[in-house]
C-alpha cells in the first residue's frame, strides 16, 4: 500500500510485460488429430444478458453430445466489461477464452491487433453465400473474415400497448409525435412517455441518423459528428428531456430503463431484440400481447437505427483451434439459430432460417427483420469501439444539460480526431 | 568474526594494490573496508533489496521509460498463436509530458482530485476524532459500539461501494424512497455532477472513518490519565482539556494518519470507479481513474499516456509528502 503511488505506472507496465511473455506454445498443438476426431476443452466467453444466459449455456453444453471428447466451458461475461476483459485475456494469453461472442463493433479492433484467428476458407465461403449480407460484412477486416455472425439486431421503439391506448395515442413515428404522445400519456395516465438511455453512445445513433448525419464518413476519411446534423442530433435528444417527454439517467441506465419499462413507469423505450425476453419477465407484460414494437422515431430528416449484433470469433492463440472453429460452426448452425429465436426472439443471421416456421411465426422477428434490412450499416473500422467512449461522455453531458449540443458535438469531433489521426 | 574478516581483507588488499593505490586508493579502500566489516548485514538485506527492486523498482523504471515513448496497444510487440507482431514504438522524449501538461483536462482533474482529497481527509479525520473521543470513556456497551463502528472496515471495499450504488440509485434506490416518504422529491445522487461529487465523498468518508477512529483511539489511550486529572484540579474545563492535552498528545498519531490517508485518498480508485465510473460525464474523474481510462477503457490502449499520468501522480504525491514533512519538522516533530 505504501507504494500504491506507482500503481498506475505499474499496471501499465505489467500489461506490457505480460504481452511480452504471452503464449509461446507452438501453433500446431491444436491441429486436427490424424483420426479426425475433435477433443479437448473449448472455453466460450458469452456476453449475453441475464435473461438470455441460461439458454446459451444449455446450447453450449449440447455440443458435447455431438463431440463427446470435447468439453465446453461456458463462461458468462457481462457485456459492459467484456471488451476490456477480452483484451486483457488476449494480450496476456493466460486463461484466455478460445471462443468469444463479440459485439459487431469490436471485431475489426480485435482483428487489427492480431488477436483473432481467421475463419477457415470453407466456412467463410458458406458465410458469404448463406448468411445475411450486412451481417457477414461485420466479420470482415482488411479483406479477411475473422468472425462468424451469430445474431443480428437493431433498435426499435418498444411500447406498452395498454398505456398508449389509455392515453388515446398511436405509436409515434417521429420525435415530434413522441413529444405530443408523451404529453397525452402524462395527462391521461400520469406516467412518463419515454425512457431515454443517456449513458450509452449506441442510443445516440438513431438521433444522428434521424437528422441525416453519421459519426464518420469512412469512405472519405472524414469526421462528421460535428456537422450541423450532429449538433441537431444532440439538440433533439436534449429536447426530449427538457420537454418532459423523456426521463434519463447518467448512471445505471440499462437497469433503470428496464425497471421503468417493465413496471409501467414509462410507456416507451428504445431497445433491441435482446431486451424482449427481459421485458416479458416484467409485470406489465405478463400478457405478452401488451408489448408493441415500432420503428425508432424519425428525426427531422430521416428514420434510421444502427445495425448491431454479435459475432463469434476464435482466439488466435487458442490451443484448440479446430474444436473451437467446430464449436462456432455449431453455434451458427441453422438448428441453433432457430432454437435461440424461439426461446429469446433473437434474429438469425442465416437467410434460410427465416423460412423456418418457428422463426416466421415469431412476432418480434416479423417486426425486426424489415427493420434490420433498413438498418444503417456502421463503418467497420478498428476504431469503432474507441469512438464510443468519448461519444458516451458527450452524449451524457448533452442530455443532462451539463454542456450545450454545440459543445458536445465539437468535443466529440476533437476526441475523434485524436483517435483517427490522419482523418479530415 | 568481524575482526577476523577485516584483517583478512586488509591483508589481501595489501598484496598488490598498495603501490599504485596510494594516490587514488583512499576512498575505495574505506568503502571496501565498510563492506567487508558489515558483509553479513548486506547479505541479510540483499533478498529484500532484490525483491523490492524486482517488484517495485523495475516496473517503476519501466513505467518511466514508457512515458518517454509512444507505446500503445497497436505498436507493442506481441505473439498470439501464429501471429507475431514486432514492437514498433519509438522514443519520443518529453512529448507526452508536454501534451499532458498542456491539456486542460489535467488541470481539471488535478483540481478535483485535490478538492476530493482535502474534503475526504478533513471530514474523515474530524469524524474519527469525535468518535474516538466518545468511545474513549467508560460506558455500557462500549465494545458493541466499537464493533459496529469498525464494521465498514470489515466489509470488502467493492461490496460496500456496490451497496451504496444501489442505495443512491435515483429511480429505485432506498435513499430516495426514504426521502420520498418524507415528502422530499428525488435527489439525483449520481446523475448530477455536484451531487455525484458529494456522494463519492460521502462513501469514501464512510469507508475511511473506522481507520481514523481506531488509530486515534490508540493515540488517546496512550495519553496518561494523570494529565487530565491534574488539569481538572487546576480548573480546566472539558474544552480546554481537549485543546491543551488531547490535541498535542495526538500529534504524532494524527500527523501520520493524515499523511497516509491523504496518499490513499488521492489514489482512491475503487470508490470513484465502482460508484460512478468517473461520471456523470467526467465530473468525478480523479487522476488515477483517468490514467486507468487511458490504459484500459479507451481503445487502442494508450500505455505511454497512462504511464505519463502515473509518473505525474507520483511526482505530485512526492512533492506533497516532502512539503508535509518539512512543515512538521518545523514544528519540532521528529519523524
Amino acid at each position: 500500500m505504501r507504494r500504491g503511488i506507482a500503481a498506475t505506472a505499474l499496471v501499465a507496465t505489467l500489461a506490457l510485460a505480460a504481452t511480452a511473455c504471452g503464449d509461446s506454445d507452438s501453433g500446431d498443438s491444436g491441429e486436427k488429430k490424424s483420426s479426425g476426431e475433435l477433443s479437448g476443452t473449448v472455453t466460450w466467453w458469452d456476453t449475453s444478458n441475464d435473461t438470455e444466459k441460461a439458454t446459451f449455456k444449455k446450447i453450449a453444453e449440447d455440443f458435447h453430445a455431438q463431440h463427446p471428447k470435447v468439453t465446453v466451458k461456458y463462461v458468462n461475461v457481462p457485456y459492459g466489461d467484456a471488451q476490456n476483459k477480452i483484451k486483457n485475456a488476449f494480450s496476456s494469453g493466460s486463461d484466455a477464452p478460445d471462443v468469444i461472442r463479440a459485439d459487431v463493433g469490436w471485431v475489426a479492433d480485435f482483428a487489427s491487433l492480431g488477436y483473432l484467428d481467421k475463419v477457415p476458407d470453407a466456412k467463410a465461403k458458406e458465410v458469404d453465400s448463406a448468411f445475411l449480407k450486412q451481417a457477414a460484412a461485420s466479420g470482415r477486416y482488411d479483406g479477411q473474415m475473422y468472425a462468424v455472425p451469430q445474431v443480428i439486431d437493431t433498435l426499435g421503439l418498444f411500447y406498452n400497448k395498454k398505456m398508449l391506448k389509455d392515453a388515446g395515442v398511436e405509436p409515434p413515428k417521429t420525435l415530434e409525435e413522441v413529444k405530443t404522445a408523451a404529453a397525452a400519456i402524462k395527462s391521461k395516465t400520469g406516467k412518463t412517455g419515454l425512457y431515454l438511455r443517456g449513458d450509452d453512445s449506441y442510443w445516440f445513433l438513431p438521433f444522428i441518423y434521424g437528422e441525416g448525419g453519421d459519426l464518420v464518413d469512412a469512405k472519405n476519411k472524414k469526421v462528421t459528428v460535428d456537422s450541423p446534423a450532429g449538433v441537431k442530433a444532440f439538440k433533439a435528444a436534449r429536447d426530449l428531456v427538457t420537454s418532459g417527454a423523456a426521463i434519463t439517467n447518467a448512471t445505471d441506465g440499462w437497469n433503470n430503463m428496464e425497471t421503468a419499462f417493465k413496471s409501467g413507469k414509462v410507456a416507451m423505450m428504445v431497445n433491441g431484440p435482446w431486451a424482449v425476453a427481459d421485458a416479458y419477465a416484467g409485470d406489465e407484460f405478463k400478457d405478452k400481447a401488451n408489448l408493441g414494437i415500432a420503428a425508432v422515431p424519425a428525426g427531422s430528416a430521416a428514420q434510421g437505427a444502427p445495425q448491431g449484433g454479435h459475432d463469434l470469433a476464435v482466439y488466435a492463440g487458442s490451443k484448440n483451434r479446430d474444436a473451437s472453429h467446430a464449436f462456432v460452426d455449431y453455434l451458427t448452425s441453422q438448428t441453433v439459430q432457430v432454437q435461440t429465436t424461439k426461446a429469446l426472439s433473437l434474429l438469425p443471421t442465416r437467410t434460410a432460417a427465416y423460412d423456418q416456421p418457428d422463426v416466421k411465426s415469431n412476432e418480434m422477428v416479423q417486426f425486426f427483420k424489415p427493420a434490420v434490412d433498413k438498418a444503417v450499416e456502421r463503418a467497420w473500422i478498428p476504431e469503432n469501439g474507441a469512438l464510443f467512449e468519448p461519444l458516451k461522455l458527450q452524449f451524457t453531458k448533452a442530455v443532462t444539460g451539463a454542456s450545450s449540443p454545440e459543445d458536445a458535438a465539437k468535443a466529440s469531433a476533437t476526441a475523434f480526431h485524436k483517435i483517427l489521426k490522419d482523418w479530415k | 568474526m568481524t575482526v577476523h574478516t577485516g584483517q583478512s581483507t586488509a591483508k589481501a588488499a595489501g598484496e598488490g594494490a598498495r603501490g599504485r593505490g596510494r594516490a587514488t586508493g583512499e576512498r575505495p579502500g574505506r568503502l571496501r573496508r565498510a563492506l567487508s566489516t558489515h558483509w553479513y548485514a548486506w547479505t541479510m538485506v540483499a533478498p529484500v533489496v532484490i525483491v523490492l527492486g524486482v517488484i517495485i523498482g523495475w516496473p517503476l523504471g519501466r513505467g518511466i521509460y514508457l512515458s518517454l515513448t509512444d507505446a500503445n496497444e497497436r505498436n507493442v510487440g506481441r505473439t498470439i498463436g501464429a501471429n507475431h507482431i514486432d514492437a514498433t514504438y519509438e522514443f519520443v522524449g518529453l512529448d507526452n509530458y508536454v501534451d499532458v501538461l498542456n491539456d486542460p483536462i489535467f488541470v481539471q482533474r488535478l483540481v478535483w482530485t485535490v478538492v476530493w482529497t482535502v474534503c475526504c481527509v478533513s471530514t474523515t479525520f474530524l469524524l474519527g476524532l469525535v468518535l474516538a473521543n466518545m468511545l474513549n470513556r467508560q460506558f455500557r456497551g462500549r465494545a458493541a459500539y466499537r464493533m459496529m463502528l469498525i464494521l465498514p472496515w470489515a466489509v470488502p471495499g467493492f461490496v460496500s461501494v456496490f451497496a451504496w450504488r444501489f442505495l443512491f440509485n435515483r429511480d429505485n434506490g432506498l435513499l430516495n424512497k426514504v426521502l420520498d416518504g418524507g415528502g422530499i422529491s428525488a435527489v439525483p445522487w449520481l446523475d448530477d455532477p455536484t451531487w455525484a461529487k458529494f456522494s463519492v465523498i460521502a462513501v469514501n468518508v464512510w469507508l475511511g472513518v473506522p481507520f481514523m477512529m481506531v488509530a486515534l483511539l490508540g493515540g488517546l489511550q496512550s495519553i496518561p490519565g494523570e494529565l487530565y486529572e491534574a488539569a481538572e484540579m487546576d480548573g480546566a474545563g472539558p474544552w480546554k482539556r481537549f485543546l491543551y492535552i488531547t490535541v498535542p498528545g495526538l500529534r504524532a498519531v494524527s500527523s501520520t494518519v493524515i499523511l497516509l490517508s491523504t496518499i490513499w485518498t488521492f489514489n482512491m480508485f475503487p470508490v470513484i470507479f465502482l460508484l460512478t465510473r468517473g461520471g456523470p460525464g467526467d465530473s468525478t474523474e480523479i487522476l488515477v481513474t483517468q490514467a486507468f481510462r487511458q490504459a484500459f477503457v479507451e481503445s487502442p490502449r494508450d500505455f505511454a499516456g497512462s504511464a505519463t499520468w502515473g509518473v505525474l501522480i507520483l511526482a505530485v504525491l512526492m512533492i506533497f509528502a516532502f512539503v508535509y514533512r518539512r512543515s512538521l519538522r518545523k514544528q519540532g516533530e521528529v519523524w
Side-chain angles (χ1 to χ4, degrees), chain B residues 18-215:
Chain B
R18 188 159 290 170
R20 55 196 162 95
R22 199 75 199 145
T24 55
E26 195 68 13
R27 213 180 283 164
R30 196 180 291 164
L31 181 71
R32 202 182 290 175
R33 202 160 354 124
L35 266 177
S36 59
T37 319
H38 300 296
W39 67 269
Y40 57 94
W42 288 109
T43 323
M44 294 292 166
V45 168
V48 179
V49 171
I50 291 167
V51 168
L52 283 183
V54 169
I55 65 169
I56 292 165
W58 184 78
L60 188 60
R62 178 113 180 120
I64 293 171
Y65 166 70
L66 276 181
S67 72
L68 302 173
T69 67
D70 62 353
N72 66 31
E73 197 177 17
R74 262 178 222 299
N75 60 20
V76 295
R78 57 199 180 276
T79 304
I80 298 120
N83 300 338
H84 180 78
I85 295 131
D86 286 321
T88 51
Y89 61 93
E90 285 165 358
F91 190 80
V92 295
L94 293 174
D95 283 8
N96 290 323
Y97 291 92
V98 174
D99 285 353
V100 171
L101 294 174
N102 279 331
D103 193 342
I105 288 184
F106 181 76
V107 181
Q108 277 174 31
R109 300 285 182 274
L110 182 63
V111 168
W112 160 238
T113 310
V114 170
V115 171
W116 141 266
T117 309
V118 170
C119 288
C120 286
V121 173
S122 54
T123 320
T124 318
F125 181 76
L126 286 176
L127 279 177
L129 189 62
V130 169
L131 288 172
N133 268 294
M134 284 163 67
L135 288 177
N136 191 32
R137 55 185 76 190
Q138 292 298 335
F139 60 91
R140 273 157 69 94
R142 184 165 79 152
Y145 278 107
R146 285 190 184 179
M147 282 278 285
M148 270 159 60
L149 286 164
I150 288 287
L151 207 66
W153 213 13
V155 181
F158 75 95
V159 174
S160 11
V161 176
F162 275 129
W164 277 101
R165 192 175 160 149
F166 286 124
L167 296 179
F168 277 137
N169 189 308
R170 188 179 65 186
D171 299 334
N172 313 304
L174 186 68
L175 282 179
N176 278 343
K177 291 256 159 70
V178 171
L179 288 180
D180 197 33
I184 301 164
S185 65
V187 175
W189 297 107
L190 300 178
D191 284 344
D192 172 77
T194 316
W195 277 110
K197 285 176 176 167
F198 171 83
S199 306
V200 286
I201 292 175
V203 171
N204 194 45
V205 166
W206 186 82
L207 283 171
V209 160
F211 167 75
M212 282 289 186
M213 191 188 74
V214 169

Side-chain angles (χ1 to χ4, degrees), chain A residues 18-137:
Chain A
T19 2
C21 54
D23 190 356
S24 57
D25 271 86
S26 59
D28 56 8
S29 60
E31 294 303 303
K32 199 164 273 186
K33 310 285 176 293
S34 49
S35 64
E37 197 178 10
L38 296 167
S39 62
T41 308
V42 174
T43 307
W44 179 34
W45 281 13
D46 175 36
T47 58
S48 62
N49 64 35
D50 285 346
T51 32
E52 297 170 337
K53 65 185 180 192
T55 311
F56 280 116
K57 184 164 194 266
K58 165 128 198 342
I59 287 172
E61 280 159 2
D62 286 348
F63 184 66
H64 187 65
Q66 292 182 15
H67 298 275
K69 287 197 176 164
V70 179
T71 322
V72 173
K73 216 178 120 202
Y74 175 90
V75 183
N76 188 274
V77 182
Y79 177 81
D81 311 325
Q83 195 179 6
N84 199 19
K85 275 194 178 157
I86 292 171
K87 277 193 168 188
N88 284 347
F90 280 0
S91 63
S92 73
S94 60
D95 291 327
D98 300 292
V99 177
I100 53 160
R101 182 193 206 229
D103 185 283
V104 285
W106 306 342
V107 174
D109 188 25
F110 291 166
S112 73
L113 291 166
Y115 291 152
L116 302 183
D117 201 28
K118 278 179 203 143
V119 174
D121 286 343
K123 180 71 184 177
K125 268 195 197 123
E126 194 206 340
V127 172
D128 279 335
S129 60
F131 284 60
L132 297 174
K133 286 248 151 7
Q134 65 273 44

Side-chain angles (χ1 to χ4, degrees), chain A residues 1 5 8 11 13 16 84 87-88 109 112-115 248-252 256 315-316 386 389 393 397, chain B residues 59 62 66 73-74 76 78 80-81 83 165 169-172 191 264 280-282 291 293 296-297 299 301 314:
Chain A
M1 202 61 218
I5 312 159
T8 328
V11 155
T13 326
L16 264 180
N84 199 19
K87 277 193 168 188
N88 284 347
D109 188 25
S112 73
L113 291 166
Y115 291 152
T248 187
N249 290 91
T251 45
D252 270 336
N256 286 326
Y315 175 43
E389 262 317 303
L393 178 66
K397 279 189 169 181
Chain B
R62 178 113 180 120
L66 276 181
E73 197 177 17
R74 262 178 222 299
V76 295
R78 57 199 180 276
I80 298 120
N83 300 338
R165 192 175 160 149
N169 189 308
R170 188 179 65 186
D171 299 334
N172 313 304
D191 284 344
W264 288 343
D282 53 0
R293 174 174 286 280
F296 291 103
V297 180
S299 169
R301 296 172 166 192
L314 180 66

Side-chain angles (χ1 to χ4, degrees), chain A residues 47-48 52 79 101-107 138 147-153 274 308-312 332 346 349:
Chain A
T47 58
S48 62
E52 297 170 337
Y79 177 81
R101 182 193 206 229
D103 185 283
V104 285
W106 306 342
V107 174
S138 70
V148 182
Q150 182 199 24
V151 295
I152 189 166
D153 55 48
W274 60 86
H310 295 277
D311 293 352
L312 294 160
T332 55
L346 295 176
T349 49

